[in-house]
Amino acid sequence: QAKFLSHPRCPRGAHRPPILQPSRAHGAWGTARSSMSEVRSLTVDRRLSRQFDGLFPERDLLASEHVVVTLALQTRHRQSAMSTEMLEERQQSHGVLVDRMKAFCEHFDSIGRWCDFIDPATGQPFRSDSATTLMDCDERYRKLGFEILELGCCRSLCNEKFGQCLVMTSAWVAASQAEAQAAFHILEGDGAAAEAPTDAAIGEAADAAP
């Protein structure tokens, strides 16, 4: 049965409303957490596959073992709090997500496994031609351990660890849980350079913008 959870504060004291703990009834979960990121994997079973039918039209997610992997990065700003600073941080964090997901896919390319991910900026599969999108506030992300808040003016994605202070995307890979989890370190990033952008980096990018 779902229960409400309270959260520690976002950076700078940003408010985090309680969210429902996601159900883990379907498939097997794997989780890796660092201070600035959270990586989770879930085996794609028949029920989960139906939720994402058409996302990868040329791929049968049940023909062989597949896993969906989510990568969430902590942000300094709540993603429902519209501001120039939030948009700049969001754009740079999307760049970090894409770079890590590209490296993740390249790892599985090297061992002959299919892998694709969702472009966080557009919601479209990065490598596959598809008319279906999966934006970060899509209700289907509830099936992957996230919650969608209805805020009146907008909808906001959140999770247990970061509240609304996050950006995220998902990858889909023809692999077992063990194989996917062995590559989690790629998504977690190596060293400070791979972490979400700092205030200084965001400021420098803004100063350099035309």
Side-chain angles (χ1 to χ4, degrees):
Q1 182 177 4
K3 62 182 179 180
F4 282 98
L5 299 174
S6 59
H7 300 287
R9 291 182 177 181
C10 284
R12 302 177 180 170
H15 175 61
R16 291 185 177 187
I19 66 171
L20 283 170
Q21 183 177 20
S23 169
R24 299 188 181 183
H26 313 307
W29 289 88
T31 304
R33 299 183 178 186
S34 65
S35 61
M36 296 286 288
S37 66
E38 181 178 62
V39 183
R40 305 180 76 185
S41 61
L42 180 63
T43 301
V44 178
D45 60 14
R46 187 173 300 278
R47 183 177 297 184
L48 187 62
S49 176
R50 284 199 299 265
Q51 294 290 325
F52 296 93
D53 186 43
L55 188 59
F56 304 103
E58 298 181 358
R59 190 76 189 175
D60 184 351
L61 298 177
L62 296 176
S64 60
E65 190 170 15
H66 284 70
V67 173
V68 55
V69 179
T70 61
L71 168 61
L73 298 180
Q74 184 178 19
T75 61
R76 292 171 178 79
H77 303 89
R78 282 187 295 125
Q79 296 304 290
S80 59
M82 189 65 65
S83 68
T84 300
E85 292 79 10
M86 183 278 282
L87 292 173
E88 288 173 350
E89 181 186 31
R90 182 177 178 84
Q91 183 178 15
Q92 291 206 12
S93 295
H94 279 176
V96 175
L97 289 174
V98 169
D99 286 345
R100 294 191 189 180
M101 283 295 182
K102 283 181 176 179
F104 188 71
C105 286
E106 288 169 0
H107 165 75
F108 285 100
D109 287 346
S110 70
I111 58 174
R113 299 297 183 88
W114 175 86
C115 185
D116 200 354
F117 69 93
I118 302 301
D119 185 334
T122 66
Q124 297 176 324
F126 194 82
R127 295 175 151 191
S128 304
D129 291 328
S130 176
T132 303
T133 59
L134 184 62
M135 299 302 296
D136 62 5
C137 58
D138 194 297
E139 287 286 332
R140 289 173 290 178
Y141 270 127
R142 293 181 188 272
K143 303 296 183 182
L144 303 183
F146 294 85
E147 187 63 26
I148 309 297
L149 297 181
E150 298 285 354
L151 302 177
C153 62
C154 61
R155 307 173 84 199
S156 180
L157 181 83
C158 55
N159 72 358
E160 180 181 349
K161 184 177 183 183
F162 300 136
Q164 297 178 59
C165 297
L166 67 88
V167 294
M168 61 79 61
T169 192
S170 56
W172 304 71
V173 56
S176 67
Q177 277 277 16
E179 290 169 325
Q181 291 170 26
F184 274 11
H185 66 280
I186 299 171
L187 297 178
E188 292 173 316
D190 297 322
E195 291 292 350
T198 62
D199 284 339
I202 293 171
E204 290 171 3
D207 294 339

